[in-house]
Amino acid sequence: MSETFMGLNIAVRGLYSSQRSLSVVNHNLNNVNTPGFSRQVAEQTAERPMYIPDGSGMLGTGSKITEITRVRDNYLDYKYWSENQAKGEWVKKGVLLSELETSFYELSDEGFNAVMDKFYSAMQDLTKNPEDFSNRANVKEMGIGLAKYFNSVYRKIEKMQTDINQEIKLTVEEVNNLANEISKVNRQIYNQEVTGSHANDLRDRRTVLVDQLSELININAYETVYGKLPNGEDDIRFVITVSGKAIVDHNECSELEVRKRDTKVNEEDVENLYTIGWKDGNKLKVKSGKLRGMLDIRDGNEGENGSPLIRGIPFYQKQMNKFVRVFARTFNEGIIDADGDGKLEKTMGHADGYKRNSQVGDMPAGIRFFTILDENGQPMESYKFINGADKVTDDITTPDNEYYKAVEDSYNKITAKNFCVSKEILDDYENSLCTSGVSGQIANTDVLRNIVQMRHNKYMYQEGAPEDFMKTMIATVGIDGQQAQRFEETQKAIIHQVQNRRESESGVSIDEEM
């Protein structure tokens, strides 16, 4: 009779084992499309056998499920987190550089080449008939268009810098939220596994959170043994560090914060940009992830700040400022390196010209075509802009020359943001647009022709003529964008390969489960 019941018990154990195995299969199938889910396996072993007193051996008593484990290769997780940081950085840089490139409107009728051609075309028309008021009005309008191009582009990329700064703040908050969530899941995993069970689904949840965190900032995640539990098992805890300091230490979390800078890193920066640090006051160097990508584009100034590989917004602001300063100085003062010997020379500029209504014997008008916007946003008059440089002299390279000093000081105030046509030209373009090199001669166009010729001087900038300078600068944005795209594609390929290996290791196969 006992043998009959023993057989029934063995059958019941087998049914229980099969039932649990089917429950695991059912759980796997229900989560086939759940992100981060790891296939689970019911580990089935033989029950403890029964000793037979007659010496014939041990009698089997059936089977049992000892544990339910998740199929996971930790190395692939660590590899994924490592590569995901670089992917997040270059994806973000690629997006931002593409946005920066479109800010120059180069593929539209409002791009630099278009407005520059219109301006000098109007100047050429004026050389043919300098007395014509419509030609003069056209030069004024095209000059305004040229100045507004730089104003618009500068303000757009300045706004972009502000937007990136705000996005950095939001991303830091996201990092903190993920870190806090991971610490909570750590506590749940620990509480469940301290009793000897496996927190499979909670571990999957934690892996997904770490995946998300690794895309934002450089992390190093690992499990470490703190000691022994009362049952003799290892006391394992999960730690995540950022640049060497733990942001998650088991169930504790150290948060990041953004602080407004006391001083500018770059002269061109907008006010109140954020720096990232720990809430406890310690400094932090972000090395990769989306945050690194945003910091490099927001602060990068050709290796001075940010990445040496990618130039950021301050670099292009600096280049645009350089362009308008040299261009305005050349146009207004006729100061230029004419022969490429590295020395500036004084030729005829707009300030050397005479007004249309000038009389024989009058002095040069001293009117600058381009000046800056004052503190009220209004175009400045020439005498205010060029304060201390009313007298024009040929000796401009002597260090103690007052004219030279005043010119340098005045033109260093120009930025692409405040660059504008002077008040005199706006108010009285009929007379204040100075084309003549001789007083009292309305038809003379010596000054105007000299200004037009300087457009093609290949020594005006290190990069060449004005168009060459701007083409080089705009091309640099495109080159940096292409480089970012190449790095992005490389990282995506690596991530795709690692993810495929993860899926092959841990993913659920419907055919296999069935």
Side-chain angles (χ1 to χ4, degrees):
M1 197 66 169
S2 61
E3 291 181 0
T4 302
F5 283 119
M6 181 177 177
L8 289 174
N9 287 334
I10 292 174
V12 168
R13 290 190 187 100
L15 288 172
Y16 279 144
S17 296
S18 297
Q19 185 182 41
R20 288 190 179 183
S21 295
L22 285 173
S23 295
V24 172
V25 169
N26 189 24
H27 182 60
N28 287 340
L29 292 172
N30 273 276
N31 287 280
V32 66
N33 293 318
T34 301
F37 179 78
S38 302
R39 178 169 57 92
Q40 297 181 12
V41 176
E43 301 293 345
Q44 183 172 317
T45 62
E47 265 283 10
R48 187 175 62 181
M50 178 183 293
Y51 174 71
I52 299 177
D54 63 6
S56 57
M58 306 287 285
L59 181 63
T61 59
S63 64
K64 65 177 180 179
I65 300 298
T66 57
E67 58 182 353
I68 299 172
T69 59
R70 65 198 280 262
V71 180
R72 200 79 190 182
D73 187 338
N74 290 332
Y75 165 77
L76 294 177
D77 288 336
Y78 299 142
K79 179 68 174 175
Y80 182 91
W81 298 334
S82 174
E83 300 295 344
N84 203 32
Q85 299 166 30
K87 189 201 82 170
E89 175 183 347
W90 289 107
V91 166
K92 196 62 185 177
K93 284 180 177 177
V95 170
L96 293 176
L97 286 169
S98 177
E99 182 182 343
L100 182 59
E101 187 175 11
T102 60
S103 300
F104 291 95
Y105 310 109
E106 199 52 31
L107 298 179
S108 71
D109 292 337
E110 300 176 356
F112 170 77
N113 285 322
V115 297
M116 194 71 161
D117 285 341
K118 290 176 182 177
F119 178 59
Y120 275 100
S121 177
M123 298 274 286
Q124 289 283 7
D125 290 341
L126 186 60
T127 61
K128 300 171 185 176
N129 188 1
E131 300 180 52
D132 187 79
F133 284 171
S134 64
N135 285 345
R136 287 173 171 264
N138 195 32
V139 170
K140 180 199 75 170
E141 293 302 323
M142 294 303 103
I144 292 172
L146 180 62
K148 285 188 174 179
Y149 166 79
F150 285 98
N151 301 159
S152 174
V153 172
Y154 195 93
R155 287 191 174 95
K156 189 167 183 178
I157 63 177
E158 192 176 62
K159 175 65 164 53
M160 184 179 170
Q161 190 180 45
T162 302
D163 291 343
I164 293 174
N165 191 55
Q166 186 62 27
E167 189 175 0
I168 287 172
K169 180 182 179 182
L170 296 176
T171 305
V172 167
E173 292 175 0
E174 186 179 356
V175 168
N176 288 336
N177 291 336
L178 286 170
N180 276 295
E181 185 67 22
I182 291 170
S183 66
K184 292 176 183 177
V185 175
N186 277 347
R187 185 181 299 112
Q188 294 174 321
I189 292 172
Y190 186 79
N191 291 340
Q192 187 166 331
E193 293 188 346
V194 75
T195 61
S197 59
H198 296 285
N200 296 323
D201 295 318
L202 288 172
R203 282 181 170 270
D204 286 342
R205 169 63 180 158
R206 184 175 68 187
T207 300
V208 171
L209 292 172
V210 179
D211 285 353
Q212 296 171 7
L213 182 61
S214 67
E215 190 175 15
L216 304 180
I217 195 170
N218 54 290
I219 64 168
N220 185 22
Y222 54 91
E223 286 186 321
T224 184
V225 177
Y226 269 62
K228 292 290 184 179
L229 295 171
N231 61 4
E233 296 289 333
D234 289 336
D235 183 5
I236 300 175
R237 303 189 182 187
F238 190 71
V239 178
I240 302 176
T241 61
V242 176
S243 297
K245 179 177 169 63
I247 190 171
V248 175
D249 187 357
H250 189 44
N251 58 3
E252 295 181 355
C253 178
S254 298
E255 294 188 345
L256 307 179
E257 69 173 1
V258 293
R259 296 185 285 269
K260 292 181 180 179
R261 289 174 175 167
D262 297 328
T263 57
K264 292 183 177 182
V265 171
N266 301 289
E267 180 184 347
E268 298 79 15
D269 289 342
V270 298
E271 299 288 341
N272 299 322
L273 292 182
Y274 294 123
T275 184
I276 304 174
W278 296 95
K279 273 192 175 180
D280 60 11
N282 286 320
K283 294 182 179 181
L284 170 67
K285 182 173 179 59
V286 179
K287 297 179 180 178
S288 59
K290 282 187 175 180
L291 275 175
R292 179 72 263 169
M294 288 185 280
L295 289 169
D296 282 349
I297 300 301
R298 188 196 69 177
D299 300 336
N301 201 348
E302 201 172 25
E304 293 179 21
N305 302 294
S307 169
L309 299 176
I310 297 294
R311 283 144 287 216
I313 288 173
F315 169 78
Y316 295 102
Q317 291 174 316
K318 186 177 181 179
Q319 292 297 98
M320 291 178 67
N321 291 342
K322 176 183 176 181
F323 178 89
V324 295
R325 286 166 185 168
V326 173
F327 182 79
R329 186 190 66 192
T330 303
F331 196 100
N332 290 344
E333 314 297 334
I335 297 175
I336 191 171
D337 178 4
D339 52 11
D341 62 356
K343 296 180 180 180
L344 296 176
E345 301 169 12
K346 179 73 177 75
T347 64
M348 286 191 297
H350 192 272
D352 302 298
Y354 294 86
K355 298 178 69 172
R356 178 182 174 278
N357 58 358
S358 67
Q359 302 298 315
V360 175
D362 284 352
M363 295 294 293
I367 293 174
R368 275 71 186 178
F369 190 93
F370 294 109
T371 60
I372 61 175
L373 300 171
D374 61 21
E375 60 274 10
N376 298 316
Q378 299 301 314
M380 188 176 288
E381 295 174 281
S382 297
Y383 78 92
K384 290 183 179 179
F385 167 69
I386 205 74
N387 183 32
D390 291 333
K391 294 182 179 179
V392 178
T393 65
D394 292 331
D395 183 17
I396 64 166
T397 57
T398 304
D400 60 351
N401 183 278
E402 293 301 322
Y403 171 69
Y404 176 73
K405 290 180 180 178
V407 166
E408 287 299 301
D409 290 343
S410 298
Y411 285 95
N412 283 337
K413 297 175 185 175
I414 296 183
T415 67
K417 185 178 180 179
N418 64 23
F419 180 56
C420 71
V421 174
S422 69
K423 189 175 188 301
E424 292 98 326
I425 301 296
L426 295 176
D427 291 349
D428 184 21
Y429 63 88
E430 295 96 337
N431 293 306
S432 296
L433 186 51
C434 302
T435 61
S436 175
V438 181
S439 61
Q441 294 186 12
I442 299 175
N444 184 284
T445 58
D446 290 347
V447 169
L448 184 60
R449 290 181 184 280
N450 191 61
I451 291 173
V452 172
Q453 288 174 359
M454 285 191 290
R455 175 192 183 184
H456 302 291
N457 188 300
K458 61 182 180 180
Y459 303 114
M460 186 182 295
Y461 300 91
Q462 290 180 347
E463 294 78 6
E467 282 89 343
D468 296 327
F469 182 97
M470 290 299 294
K471 285 177 182 177
T472 300
M473 186 186 73
I474 295 169
T476 301
V477 189
I479 292 170
D480 283 354
Q482 291 172 2
Q483 184 175 6
Q485 187 176 11
R486 286 195 296 270
F487 282 120
E488 174 188 338
E489 290 172 354
T490 299
Q491 286 305 127
K492 282 184 175 180
I494 295 172
I495 287 290
H496 182 70
Q497 183 183 37
V498 175
Q499 185 60 23
N500 284 343
R501 291 175 63 188
R502 277 172 126 191
E503 288 295 328
S504 65
E505 180 77 20
S506 304
V508 176
S509 168
I510 295 178
D511 292 337
E512 183 179 347
E513 297 299 320
M514 294 303 294

PDB file of all heavy atoms in Angstrom, residues 26-48:
ATOM      1  N   ASN A  26       4.972  30.427 -19.601  1.00  0.00           N
ATOM      2  CA  ASN A  26       3.881  31.379 -19.808  1.00  0.00           C
ATOM      3  C   ASN A  26       4.355  32.807 -19.521  1.00  0.00           C
ATOM      4  O   ASN A  26       4.049  33.750 -20.253  1.00  0.00           O
ATOM      5  CB  ASN A  26       2.702  31.005 -18.913  1.00  0.00           C
ATOM      6  CG  ASN A  26       1.459  31.812 -19.242  1.00  0.00           C
ATOM      7  OD1 ASN A  26       1.303  32.307 -20.349  1.00  0.00           O
ATOM      8  ND2 ASN A  26       0.571  31.933 -18.267  1.00  0.00           N
ATOM      9  N   HIS A  27       5.124  32.969 -18.444  1.00  0.00           N
ATOM     10  CA  HIS A  27       5.663  34.283 -18.072  1.00  0.00           C
ATOM     11  C   HIS A  27       6.608  34.801 -19.157  1.00  0.00           C
ATOM     12  O   HIS A  27       6.562  35.982 -19.528  1.00  0.00           O
ATOM     13  CB  HIS A  27       6.406  34.156 -16.738  1.00  0.00           C
ATOM     14  CG  HIS A  27       6.958  35.459 -16.235  1.00  0.00           C
ATOM     15  ND1 HIS A  27       6.172  36.549 -15.949  1.00  0.00           N
ATOM     16  CD2 HIS A  27       8.242  35.840 -15.972  1.00  0.00           C
ATOM     17  CE1 HIS A  27       6.933  37.561 -15.521  1.00  0.00           C
ATOM     18  NE2 HIS A  27       8.205  37.142 -15.536  1.00  0.00           N
ATOM     19  N   ASN A  28       7.441  33.901 -19.695  1.00  0.00           N
ATOM     20  CA  ASN A  28       8.356  34.294 -20.766  1.00  0.00           C
ATOM     21  C   ASN A  28       7.591  34.755 -22.002  1.00  0.00           C
ATOM     22  O   ASN A  28       7.915  35.779 -22.610  1.00  0.00           O
ATOM     23  CB  ASN A  28       9.278  33.134 -21.141  1.00  0.00           C
ATOM     24  CG  ASN A  28      10.338  32.878 -20.095  1.00  0.00           C
ATOM     25  OD1 ASN A  28      10.648  33.730 -19.283  1.00  0.00           O
ATOM     26  ND2 ASN A  28      10.886  31.664 -20.106  1.00  0.00           N
ATOM     27  N   LEU A  29       6.577  33.976 -22.398  1.00  0.00           N
ATOM     28  CA  LEU A  29       5.805  34.316 -23.591  1.00  0.00           C
ATOM     29  C   LEU A  29       5.046  35.629 -23.428  1.00  0.00           C
ATOM     30  O   LEU A  29       4.917  36.399 -24.380  1.00  0.00           O
ATOM     31  CB  LEU A  29       4.827  33.185 -23.927  1.00  0.00           C
ATOM     32  CG  LEU A  29       5.459  31.875 -24.406  1.00  0.00           C
ATOM     33  CD1 LEU A  29       4.408  30.778 -24.521  1.00  0.00           C
ATOM     34  CD2 LEU A  29       6.152  32.081 -25.755  1.00  0.00           C
ATOM     35  N   ASN A  30       4.557  35.891 -22.247  1.00  0.00           N
ATOM     36  CA  ASN A  30       3.824  37.136 -21.998  1.00  0.00           C
ATOM     37  C   ASN A  30       4.743  38.358 -22.040  1.00  0.00           C
ATOM     38  O   ASN A  30       4.268  39.481 -22.220  1.00  0.00           O
ATOM     39  CB  ASN A  30       3.121  37.077 -20.646  1.00  0.00           C
ATOM     40  CG  ASN A  30       1.760  36.438 -20.738  1.00  0.00           C
ATOM     41  OD1 ASN A  30       0.767  37.084 -21.061  1.00  0.00           O
ATOM     42  ND2 ASN A  30       1.702  35.138 -20.481  1.00  0.00           N
ATOM     43  N   ASN A  31       6.052  38.152 -21.860  1.00  0.00           N
ATOM     44  CA  ASN A  31       7.004  39.271 -21.836  1.00  0.00           C
ATOM     45  C   ASN A  31       7.944  39.261 -23.031  1.00  0.00           C
ATOM     46  O   ASN A  31       9.011  39.881 -22.982  1.00  0.00           O
ATOM     47  CB  ASN A  31       7.820  39.226 -20.544  1.00  0.00           C
ATOM     48  CG  ASN A  31       7.009  39.642 -19.343  1.00  0.00           C
ATOM     49  OD1 ASN A  31       6.801  40.824 -19.087  1.00  0.00           O
ATOM     50  ND2 ASN A  31       6.528  38.648 -18.601  1.00  0.00           N
ATOM     51  N   VAL A  32       7.518  38.599 -24.116  1.00  0.00           N
ATOM     52  CA  VAL A  32       8.388  38.490 -25.285  1.00  0.00           C
ATOM     53  C   VAL A  32       8.726  39.866 -25.860  1.00  0.00           C
ATOM     54  O   VAL A  32       9.800  40.075 -26.425  1.00  0.00           O
ATOM     55  CB  VAL A  32       7.739  37.582 -26.355  1.00  0.00           C
ATOM     56  CG1 VAL A  32       6.474  38.204 -26.919  1.00  0.00           C
ATOM     57  CG2 VAL A  32       8.737  37.262 -27.463  1.00  0.00           C
ATOM     58  N   ASN A  33       7.820  40.840 -25.698  1.00  0.00           N
ATOM     59  CA  ASN A  33       8.064  42.189 -26.227  1.00  0.00           C
ATOM     60  C   ASN A  33       8.362  43.219 -25.129  1.00  0.00           C
ATOM     61  O   ASN A  33       8.375  44.420 -25.402  1.00  0.00           O
ATOM     62  CB  ASN A  33       6.846  42.652 -27.038  1.00  0.00           C
ATOM     63  CG  ASN A  33       6.652  41.830 -28.300  1.00  0.00           C
ATOM     64  OD1 ASN A  33       7.616  41.512 -28.995  1.00  0.00           O
ATOM     65  ND2 ASN A  33       5.411  41.470 -28.590  1.00  0.00           N
ATOM     66  N   THR A  34       8.587  42.772 -23.914  1.00  0.00           N
ATOM     67  CA  THR A  34       8.897  43.688 -22.817  1.00  0.00           C
ATOM     68  C   THR A  34      10.358  44.126 -22.906  1.00  0.00           C
ATOM     69  O   THR A  34      11.256  43.280 -22.894  1.00  0.00           O
ATOM     70  CB  THR A  34       8.644  43.007 -21.456  1.00  0.00           C
ATOM     71  OG1 THR A  34       7.280  42.608 -21.376  1.00  0.00           O
ATOM     72  CG2 THR A  34       8.958  43.973 -20.317  1.00  0.00           C
ATOM     73  N   PRO A  35      10.617  45.430 -23.006  1.00  0.00           N
ATOM     74  CA  PRO A  35      12.016  45.893 -23.107  1.00  0.00           C
ATOM     75  C   PRO A  35      12.844  45.459 -21.900  1.00  0.00           C
ATOM     76  O   PRO A  35      12.423  45.617 -20.756  1.00  0.00           O
ATOM     77  CB  PRO A  35      11.873  47.429 -23.149  1.00  0.00           C
ATOM     78  CG  PRO A  35      10.488  47.684 -23.635  1.00  0.00           C
ATOM     79  CD  PRO A  35       9.661  46.559 -23.087  1.00  0.00           C
ATOM     80  N   GLY A  36      14.005  44.886 -22.154  1.00  0.00           N
ATOM     81  CA  GLY A  36      14.922  44.512 -21.091  1.00  0.00           C
ATOM     82  C   GLY A  36      14.609  43.203 -20.396  1.00  0.00           C
ATOM     83  O   GLY A  36      15.357  42.796 -19.496  1.00  0.00           O
ATOM     84  N   PHE A  37      13.543  42.526 -20.797  1.00  0.00           N
ATOM     85  CA  PHE A  37      13.175  41.276 -20.114  1.00  0.00           C
ATOM     86  C   PHE A  37      14.180  40.181 -20.438  1.00  0.00           C
ATOM     87  O   PHE A  37      14.592  40.006 -21.583  1.00  0.00           O
ATOM     88  CB  PHE A  37      11.772  40.832 -20.534  1.00  0.00           C
ATOM     89  CG  PHE A  37      11.323  39.549 -19.898  1.00  0.00           C
ATOM     90  CD1 PHE A  37      10.865  39.535 -18.589  1.00  0.00           C
ATOM     91  CD2 PHE A  37      11.379  38.353 -20.598  1.00  0.00           C
ATOM     92  CE1 PHE A  37      10.458  38.344 -17.990  1.00  0.00           C
ATOM     93  CE2 PHE A  37      10.971  37.163 -20.016  1.00  0.00           C
ATOM     94  CZ  PHE A  37      10.517  37.164 -18.702  1.00  0.00           C
ATOM     95  N   SER A  38      14.559  39.431 -19.416  1.00  0.00           N
ATOM     96  CA  SER A  38      15.476  38.297 -19.579  1.00  0.00           C
ATOM     97  C   SER A  38      14.700  36.994 -19.467  1.00  0.00           C
ATOM     98  O   SER A  38      13.887  36.818 -18.542  1.00  0.00           O
ATOM     99  CB  SER A  38      16.567  38.329 -18.495  1.00  0.00           C
ATOM    100  OG  SER A  38      17.285  39.532 -18.532  1.00  0.00           O
ATOM    101  N   ARG A  39      14.943  36.099 -20.390  1.00  0.00           N
ATOM    102  CA  ARG A  39      14.293  34.787 -20.361  1.00  0.00           C
ATOM    103  C   ARG A  39      14.601  34.086 -19.039  1.00  0.00           C
ATOM    104  O   ARG A  39      15.746  34.078 -18.578  1.00  0.00           O
ATOM    105  CB  ARG A  39      14.802  33.947 -21.534  1.00  0.00           C
ATOM    106  CG  ARG A  39      14.235  32.530 -21.598  1.00  0.00           C
ATOM    107  CD  ARG A  39      14.586  31.908 -22.935  1.00  0.00           C
ATOM    108  NE  ARG A  39      16.027  31.902 -23.160  1.00  0.00           N
ATOM    109  CZ  ARG A  39      16.833  30.886 -22.829  1.00  0.00           C
ATOM    110  NH1 ARG A  39      16.324  29.812 -22.235  1.00  0.00           N
ATOM    111  NH2 ARG A  39      18.116  30.947 -23.083  1.00  0.00           N
ATOM    112  N   GLN A  40      13.575  33.508 -18.446  1.00  0.00           N
ATOM    113  CA  GLN A  40      13.726  32.830 -17.166  1.00  0.00           C
ATOM    114  C   GLN A  40      13.634  31.311 -17.363  1.00  0.00           C
ATOM    115  O   GLN A  40      12.938  30.828 -18.255  1.00  0.00           O
ATOM    116  CB  GLN A  40      12.669  33.306 -16.168  1.00  0.00           C
ATOM    117  CG  GLN A  40      12.820  34.784 -15.844  1.00  0.00           C
ATOM    118  CD  GLN A  40      11.794  35.279 -14.827  1.00  0.00           C
ATOM    119  OE1 GLN A  40      11.098  34.481 -14.197  1.00  0.00           O
ATOM    120  NE2 GLN A  40      11.718  36.601 -14.673  1.00  0.00           N
ATOM    121  N   VAL A  41      14.356  30.606 -16.538  1.00  0.00           N
ATOM    122  CA  VAL A  41      14.438  29.146 -16.648  1.00  0.00           C
ATOM    123  C   VAL A  41      14.172  28.517 -15.291  1.00  0.00           C
ATOM    124  O   VAL A  41      14.733  28.953 -14.273  1.00  0.00           O
ATOM    125  CB  VAL A  41      15.837  28.707 -17.152  1.00  0.00           C
ATOM    126  CG1 VAL A  41      15.944  27.186 -17.165  1.00  0.00           C
ATOM    127  CG2 VAL A  41      16.111  29.275 -18.528  1.00  0.00           C
ATOM    128  N   ALA A  42      13.294  27.516 -15.274  1.00  0.00           N
ATOM    129  CA  ALA A  42      13.028  26.757 -14.053  1.00  0.00           C
ATOM    130  C   ALA A  42      14.067  25.647 -13.930  1.00  0.00           C
ATOM    131  O   ALA A  42      14.149  24.762 -14.798  1.00  0.00           O
ATOM    132  CB  ALA A  42      11.622  26.172 -14.082  1.00  0.00           C
ATOM    133  N   GLU A  43      14.861  25.710 -12.872  1.00  0.00           N
ATOM    134  CA  GLU A  43      15.910  24.702 -12.674  1.00  0.00           C
ATOM    135  C   GLU A  43      15.295  23.497 -11.970  1.00  0.00           C
ATOM    136  O   GLU A  43      14.875  23.573 -10.814  1.00  0.00           O
ATOM    137  CB  GLU A  43      17.038  25.291 -11.817  1.00  0.00           C
ATOM    138  CG  GLU A  43      17.702  26.533 -12.402  1.00  0.00           C
ATOM    139  CD  GLU A  43      18.484  26.242 -13.667  1.00  0.00           C
ATOM    140  OE1 GLU A  43      18.751  25.046 -13.935  1.00  0.00           O
ATOM    141  OE2 GLU A  43      18.821  27.203 -14.392  1.00  0.00           O
ATOM    142  N   GLN A  44      15.212  22.382 -12.693  1.00  0.00           N
ATOM    143  CA  GLN A  44      14.573  21.164 -12.182  1.00  0.00           C
ATOM    144  C   GLN A  44      15.631  20.121 -11.826  1.00  0.00           C
ATOM    145  O   GLN A  44      16.533  19.860 -12.616  1.00  0.00           O
ATOM    146  CB  GLN A  44      13.614  20.605 -13.238  1.00  0.00           C
ATOM    147  CG  GLN A  44      12.845  19.370 -12.783  1.00  0.00           C
ATOM    148  CD  GLN A  44      11.775  18.977 -13.789  1.00  0.00           C
ATOM    149  OE1 GLN A  44      11.065  19.832 -14.298  1.00  0.00           O
ATOM    150  NE2 GLN A  44      11.692  17.678 -14.066  1.00  0.00           N
ATOM    151  N   THR A  45      15.512  19.571 -10.634  1.00  0.00           N
ATOM    152  CA  THR A  45      16.435  18.517 -10.191  1.00  0.00           C
ATOM    153  C   THR A  45      15.638  17.364  -9.597  1.00  0.00           C
ATOM    154  O   THR A  45      14.437  17.493  -9.324  1.00  0.00           O
ATOM    155  CB  THR A  45      17.417  19.045  -9.127  1.00  0.00           C
ATOM    156  OG1 THR A  45      16.679  19.473  -7.981  1.00  0.00           O
ATOM    157  CG2 THR A  45      18.240  20.211  -9.671  1.00  0.00           C
ATOM    158  N   ALA A  46      16.323  16.242  -9.358  1.00  0.00           N
ATOM    159  CA  ALA A  46      15.678  15.087  -8.740  1.00  0.00           C
ATOM    160  C   ALA A  46      15.485  15.335  -7.246  1.00  0.00           C
ATOM    161  O   ALA A  46      16.326  15.966  -6.594  1.00  0.00           O
ATOM    162  CB  ALA A  46      16.524  13.836  -8.953  1.00  0.00           C
ATOM    163  N   GLU A  47      14.354  14.837  -6.715  1.00  0.00           N
ATOM    164  CA  GLU A  47      14.100  14.933  -5.275  1.00  0.00           C
ATOM    165  C   GLU A  47      15.086  14.033  -4.523  1.00  0.00           C
ATOM    166  O   GLU A  47      15.722  13.153  -5.101  1.00  0.00           O
ATOM    167  CB  GLU A  47      12.670  14.479  -4.963  1.00  0.00           C
ATOM    168  CG  GLU A  47      11.669  15.616  -4.893  1.00  0.00           C
ATOM    169  CD  GLU A  47      11.776  16.372  -3.583  1.00  0.00           C
ATOM    170  OE1 GLU A  47      12.742  16.149  -2.821  1.00  0.00           O
ATOM    171  OE2 GLU A  47      10.904  17.230  -3.324  1.00  0.00           O
ATOM    172  N   ARG A  48      15.188  14.296  -3.227  1.00  0.00           N
ATOM    173  CA  ARG A  48      16.093  13.495  -2.421  1.00  0.00           C
ATOM    174  C   ARG A  48      15.624  12.035  -2.430  1.00  0.00           C
ATOM    175  O   ARG A  48      14.457  11.752  -2.129  1.00  0.00           O
ATOM    176  CB  ARG A  48      16.120  14.013  -0.994  1.00  0.00           C
ATOM    177  CG  ARG A  48      17.164  13.328  -0.122  1.00  0.00           C
ATOM    178  CD  ARG A  48      17.231  13.970   1.235  1.00  0.00           C
ATOM    179  NE  ARG A  48      15.976  13.859   1.938  1.00  0.00           N
ATOM    180  CZ  ARG A  48      15.738  14.360   3.156  1.00  0.00           C
ATOM    181  NH1 ARG A  48      16.690  15.055   3.757  1.00  0.00           N
ATOM    182  NH2 ARG A  48      14.563  14.234   3.726  1.00  0.00           N
TER     183      ARG A  48
END
